[in-house]
């Protein structure tokens, strides 16, 4: 058996490498460099952890995520690896202790914040020890055009200049070709082996639905499919984060808020609880999430439309890192489109900048309104081609496409009339009131019940009308005026709809399928196994609390599922289960067998 396989089996308790892991690991063990692009949950950590254990000396891992270093080190200690970190949160004493073990050659892995490399003492320290490899995690942070740029990453070129013979591995889950080239150039990895995996996350089910009562929709998603599961709910604003978190708590779902307006201590404590407690829901702005490697996040929900497909993919990618079934759910409505178009129109900066924002939004809307497979659309965005996936809402219950040309003409001509005849512009709500013939106080006051199109749209429900407006906006057949009031105006494309030369195809939402009230992970477990799985989770929660580590540091859901299904009665049988290596077998073996025996 190769040394790498031996570590995989004995230390991590896994029987096979995943994807390109074996090749990448061998490249580094042989002293080569590697640039690794793998989706979240693809298994990047093993790509540097195993070579660090096989090669002589310590693997030095550069990571920007200081708050998560303790958990990473704990997870390694739990499998019997020797790991430590150096960052600004430590006292001088603690740092000196770590330095001493490093110099004594007793560390497999040392995590460093990038800013420590600015300190000459750190470079001297590294000079005095033996370095097995450098791993540069979240390597996209070196890209100045990316959204996570960190100036400290620019100086990572020092690693190659100062230690030219030490192999380096840069890892990221960020996809675009341009970013990849920039990473290779800035980190001097142009000649390195490039390992690019598919970005598909087959275990994530993508679903996008029309927003009607978003909080109720979210609650129903959690209650029917994700009761007791950990999840992340993304909102656009701080106030909606607060509101949604309160709403969930009032309805008995354990939830915490996270946004940049909260005190740093509160943020840290909420993040900590999310990582440590089972079944916690984090309601957050996009300020939350980078580097969160909690493997058992079972759902990521968006209550507002993300601004770009990249952002959406990165956020949803935080679900299901353990490879078990997970849900990416988004509710979006007319208001989202109006609001974002308005924000873009009013944003500072050049026209080119606004066009860029508009193009991002258009791509996102295209994803929302597609009648084709969501996943193939997402992957196509990142340059991959694929067929229908069978695990997204459009594949599972294909929406009907319908000819919306006539409703579109009714709507557009109402807008045109109000402008031509009265120089008036209105938002979607009022225009829809006119179409369905609703005599609201405003309609009467404005005398709009005498407009020729008053009441001509009664064959379409109010809810459907909102869908029509939303989709016309998404297709650029209708626009939001730049006046900042969200009023509707026609576009160049509208004319062709009005004269009948452009047919408008719209998506009709498929009727909701009723779903069993089961947790996704437990979904295919038969009754008795399900009971045992719950018992094992309970035991794990106690263990994790006692040691003050996240539950997944004890065992991941995938491992507990394995135990629940196989029901081992001996340590040998237990050792066969994925995720149980030598150290964990020794530490927890008897306890696990006892839980199995008593359940
Ligand atoms: P990434 O950093 O790429 O997001 P991780 O390194 O955190 O992903 O791995 C995701 C999950 O997959 C972890 O729970 C990890 O233990 C597990 N994993 C990684 N490689 C393997 C493997 N070869 N066999 C089984 N599980 C694996
Ligand atoms: Zn699909």
């Amino acid at each position: 058996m190769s040394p790498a396989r031996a570590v995989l089996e004995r230390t991590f308790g896994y029987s096979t490498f995943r994807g390109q892991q074996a090749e990448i690991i061998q490249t580094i063990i042989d002293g080569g460099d590697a640039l690794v692009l793998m989706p979240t949950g693809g298994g990047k950590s093993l790509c540097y952890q195993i070579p660090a254990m096989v090669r002589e000396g310590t693997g030095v891992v550069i990571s920007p995520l200081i708050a998560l270093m303790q958990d990473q080190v704990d997870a390694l200690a739990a499998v019997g690896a020797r790991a430590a970190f150096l960052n600004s949160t430590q006292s001088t004493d603690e740092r000196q202790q770590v330095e001493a073990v490093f110099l004594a050659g007793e560390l497999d892995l040392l995590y460093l914040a990038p800013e420590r490399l600015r300190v000459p003492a750190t470079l001297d320290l590294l000079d005095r020890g033996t370095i097995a490899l450098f791993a540069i995690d979240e390597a996209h942070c070196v890209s100045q055009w990316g959204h996570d740029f960190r100036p400290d990453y620019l100086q990572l070129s020092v690693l190659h200049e100062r230690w030219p013979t030490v192999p380096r591995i840069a890892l990221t889950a960020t996809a675009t070709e341009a970013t990849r080239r920039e990473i290779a150039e800035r980190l001097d990895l142009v000649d390195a082996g490039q390992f690019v995996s598919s970005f598909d996350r087959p275990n994530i089910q993508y679903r996008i639905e029309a927003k009607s009562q978003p909080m109720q929709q979210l609650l129903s998603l959690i209650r029917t499919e994700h009761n007791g599961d950990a999840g992340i709910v993304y909102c656009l604003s701080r106030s909606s984060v607060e509101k949604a978190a309160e709403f969930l708590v009032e309805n008995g779902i354990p939830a915490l808020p996270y946004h940049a307006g909260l005190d740093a201590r509160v943020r840290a404590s909420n993040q900590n609880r999310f990582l440590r407690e089972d079944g916690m829901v984090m309601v957050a702005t996009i300020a939350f999430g980078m580097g969160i490697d909690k493997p058992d996040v079972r759902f990521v929900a968006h209550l507002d439309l993300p601004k770009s497909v990249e952002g959406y993919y990165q956020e949803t990618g935080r679900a299901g890192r353990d490879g078990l079934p997970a849900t990416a759910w988004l509710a979006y409505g007319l208001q989202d489109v109006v609001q974002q178009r308005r924000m873009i129109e009013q944003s500072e900066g050049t026209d080119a900048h606004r066009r860029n924002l508009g193009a991002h939004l258009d791509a996102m809307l295209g994803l929302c309104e597609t009648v084709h497979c969501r996943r193939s659309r997402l992957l196509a965005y990142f340059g991959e081609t694929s067929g229908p996936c069978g695990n997204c809402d459009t594949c599972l219950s294909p929406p009907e496409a319908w000819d919306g040309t006539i409703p579109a003409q009714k709507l557009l001509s109402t807008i045109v009339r109000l402008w031509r005849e009265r120089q008036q512009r209105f938002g979607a709500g009022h225009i829809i009131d006119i179409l369905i013939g609703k005599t609201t106080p405003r309609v009467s006051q404005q005398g709009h019940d005498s407009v020729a199109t008053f009441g001509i749209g009664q064959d379409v429900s109010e809810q459907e009308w909102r869908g029509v407006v939303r989709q016309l906006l998404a297709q650029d057949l209708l626009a939001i005026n730049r006046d900042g009031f969200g009023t509707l105006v026609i576009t160049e494309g509208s004319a062709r709809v009005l004269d009948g030369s452009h047919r408008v195809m719209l998506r009709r939402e498929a009727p909701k399928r009723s779903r069993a009230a089961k947790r996704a992970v437990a979904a295919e477990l038969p009754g008795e196994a399900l009971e045992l799985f719950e018992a094992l989770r309970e035991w794990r929660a106690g263990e994790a609390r006692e040691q003050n580590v996240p539950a997944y540091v004890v065992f991941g859901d995938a491992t507990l599922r394995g135990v629940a299904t196989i029901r081992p009665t001996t340590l040998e049988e237990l050792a066969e289960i994925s995720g149980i290596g030598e150290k964990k077998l020794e530490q927890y073996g008897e306890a696990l067998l006892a839980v199995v025996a008593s359940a």
Side-chain angles (χ1 to χ4, degrees):
M1 195 188 323
S2 75
R5 270 202 79 94
V7 176
L8 180 75
E9 289 186 18
R10 295 203 191 114
T11 305
F12 293 96
Y14 298 138
S15 54
T16 47
F17 284 113
R18 250 194 218 161
Q20 295 173 294
Q21 278 177 335
E23 264 177 281
I24 298 166
I25 289 169
Q26 203 51 51
T27 303
I28 303 296
I29 290 179
D30 294 342
D33 296 332
L35 175 53
V36 174
L37 270 92
M38 226 185 241
T40 311
K44 286 186 284 299
S45 326
L46 290 191
C47 294
Y48 58 83
Q49 288 168 348
I50 291 181
M53 287 180 223
V54 171
R55 282 178 66 91
E56 198 200 331
T58 304
V60 175
V61 186
I62 314 295
S63 163
L65 307 159
I66 295 177
L68 301 169
M69 285 185 182
Q70 184 66 57
D71 288 347
Q72 284 170 322
V73 164
D74 286 344
L76 282 163
V79 297
R82 302 166 302 174
F85 62 83
L86 286 175
N87 67 32
S88 53
T89 65
Q90 291 162 308
S91 66
T92 316
D93 257 12
E94 285 170 321
R95 270 208 292 273
Q96 279 169 352
Q97 264 177 30
V98 171
E99 291 175 8
V101 258
F102 167 68
L103 290 174
E106 285 165 8
L107 277 186
D108 296 313
L109 285 142
L110 175 63
Y111 286 80
L112 278 187
E115 56 271 23
R116 294 234 65 83
L117 293 174
R118 261 197 323 235
V119 185
T122 310
L123 300 177
D124 291 342
L125 174 78
L126 295 182
D127 268 336
R128 285 184 288 141
T130 310
I131 305 170
L133 58 90
F134 287 111
I136 301 161
D137 206 3
E138 311 288 349
H140 61 280
C141 290
V142 80
S143 158
Q144 272 172 313
W145 309 112
H147 40 285
D148 291 327
F149 175 60
R150 312 236 165 172
D152 279 321
Y153 262 63
L154 288 179
Q155 59 189 8
L156 293 184
S157 51
V158 72
L159 300 178
H160 189 46
E161 288 152 18
R162 193 152 171 157
W163 295 279
T165 59
V166 175
R168 291 166 307 145
I169 172 170
L171 311 103
T172 178
T174 283
T176 65
E177 172 69 34
T179 312
R180 195 202 318 170
R181 271 200 307 270
E182 199 184 346
I183 296 172
E185 268 161 36
R186 290 193 189 280
L187 295 179
D188 210 346
L189 285 171
V190 179
D191 298 325
Q194 298 214 357
F195 299 90
V196 182
S197 308
S198 163
F199 274 77
D200 189 15
R201 303 285 310 282
N203 60 312
I204 300 181
Q205 183 175 94
Y206 295 95
R207 280 154 46 193
I208 300 180
E209 62 182 58
K211 196 189 264 190
S212 49
Q213 293 175 295
M215 302 280 195
Q216 287 300 337
Q217 287 170 281
L218 174 66
L219 189 61
S220 132
L221 169 82
I222 297 177
R223 285 199 172 141
T224 59
E225 295 172 59
H226 290 290
N227 209 4
D229 282 346
I232 305 175
V233 177
Y234 282 109
C235 303
L236 220 48
S237 72
R238 296 172 186 186
S239 66
S240 46
V241 164
E242 300 276 351
K243 262 191 278 179
E246 261 169 47
F247 173 83
L248 289 180
V249 169
E250 278 163 17
N251 284 281
I253 311 281
L256 296 165
Y258 190 105
H259 58 71
L262 290 171
D263 185 71
R265 270 196 313 262
V266 176
R267 280 206 307 268
S269 138
N270 286 1
Q271 170 169 311
N272 221 19
R273 286 188 60 193
F274 173 71
L275 293 175
R276 275 169 174 60
E277 295 175 25
D278 259 345
M280 187 59 81
V281 176
M282 185 66 108
V283 186
T285 59
I286 54 171
F288 177 76
M290 182 163 74
I292 293 295
D293 55 4
K294 186 175 168 61
D296 56 355
V297 174
R298 295 267 68 85
F299 68 93
V300 170
H302 282 87
L303 284 177
D304 296 302
L305 185 69
K307 293 192 168 77
S308 70
V309 176
E310 281 100 327
Y312 170 73
Y313 203 60
Q314 203 162 44
E315 285 140 31
T316 53
R318 291 170 187 141
R321 293 173 83 111
D322 53 12
L324 296 173
T327 310
W329 177 89
L330 159 66
Y332 109 108
L334 174 56
Q335 211 42 47
D336 289 296
V337 190
V338 173
Q339 189 191 0
Q340 293 216 15
R341 284 255 200 262
R342 193 159 60 185
M343 269 159 44
I344 292 172
E345 286 303 339
Q346 294 180 310
S347 71
E348 310 274 314
T350 60
D351 277 353
H353 174 64
R354 269 194 291 276
R355 270 198 302 278
N356 186 27
L357 293 176
H360 278 299
L361 178 59
D362 285 342
M364 192 61 221
L365 292 174
L367 175 69
C368 291
E369 301 293 1
T370 184
V371 289
H372 304 293
C373 171
R374 306 263 193 218
R375 188 184 316 272
S376 31
R377 179 116 191 178
L378 273 168
L379 291 175
Y381 192 78
F382 296 111
E384 281 180 49
T385 42
S386 61
C389 73
N391 191 27
C392 71
D393 53 358
T394 48
C395 281
L396 291 168
S397 36
E400 247 176 79
W402 62 290
D403 187 333
T405 309
I406 291 174
Q409 287 170 337
K410 290 178 179 171
L411 180 104
L412 293 173
S413 65
T414 306
I415 294 167
V416 170
R417 271 168 202 284
L418 287 175
W419 179 244
R420 289 224 185 107
E421 293 167 11
R422 316 180 182 209
Q423 280 76 54
Q424 289 176 329
R425 284 183 173 141
F426 290 91
H430 186 71
I431 304 284
I432 293 172
D433 286 342
I434 296 174
L435 286 164
I436 58 177
K438 201 165 162 185
T439 35
T440 64
R442 196 169 185 201
V443 166
S444 316
Q445 191 198 338
Q446 297 281 348
H448 285 167
D449 36 9
S450 66
V451 174
T453 56
F454 183 77
I456 62 165
Q458 286 172 359
D459 51 334
V460 174
S461 75
E462 186 169 344
Q463 177 74 17
E464 283 172 318
W465 270 118
R466 296 179 71 82
V468 172
V469 177
R470 197 185 72 214
Q471 297 186 59
L472 289 178
L473 283 168
Q475 296 182 23
D476 262 331
L477 298 173
L478 182 64
I480 302 296
N481 193 24
R482 295 182 75 159
D483 59 11
F485 295 109
T487 59
L488 299 175
V489 288
I490 60 164
T491 65
E492 278 171 39
S494 311
R496 287 196 307 280
V497 177
L498 283 167
D499 70 18
S501 61
H502 178 98
R503 299 202 79 70
V504 181
M505 292 313 289
L506 300 177
R507 174 190 167 103
R508 194 184 319 271
E509 315 306 326
K512 295 258 153 35
R513 296 176 308 135
S514 63
R515 280 159 199 282
K518 260 190 196 170
R519 276 217 312 278
V521 173
E524 306 100 60
L525 285 176
E528 316 136 46
L530 186 61
E531 239 168 74
L532 178 51
F533 179 68
E534 295 300 345
L536 289 163
R537 270 169 61 102
E538 209 166 292
W539 165 82
R540 178 181 68 178
E543 257 332 298
R545 249 195 319 276
E546 217 162 88
Q547 301 177 39
N548 189 26
V549 293
Y552 62 81
V553 168
V554 178
F555 282 117
D557 280 353
T559 305
L560 295 191
R561 263 184 77 107
V563 176
T565 315
I566 294 167
R567 293 190 163 258
T569 53
T570 64
L571 289 173
E572 290 71 40
E573 283 171 13
L574 203 53
E576 293 295 305
I577 293 169
S578 178
I580 305 184
E582 285 172 358
K583 167 97 194 282
K584 287 192 177 174
L585 186 68
E586 187 191 311
Q587 190 172 357
Y588 303 118
E590 298 295 345
L592 280 177
L593 291 179
V595 179
V596 175
S598 68

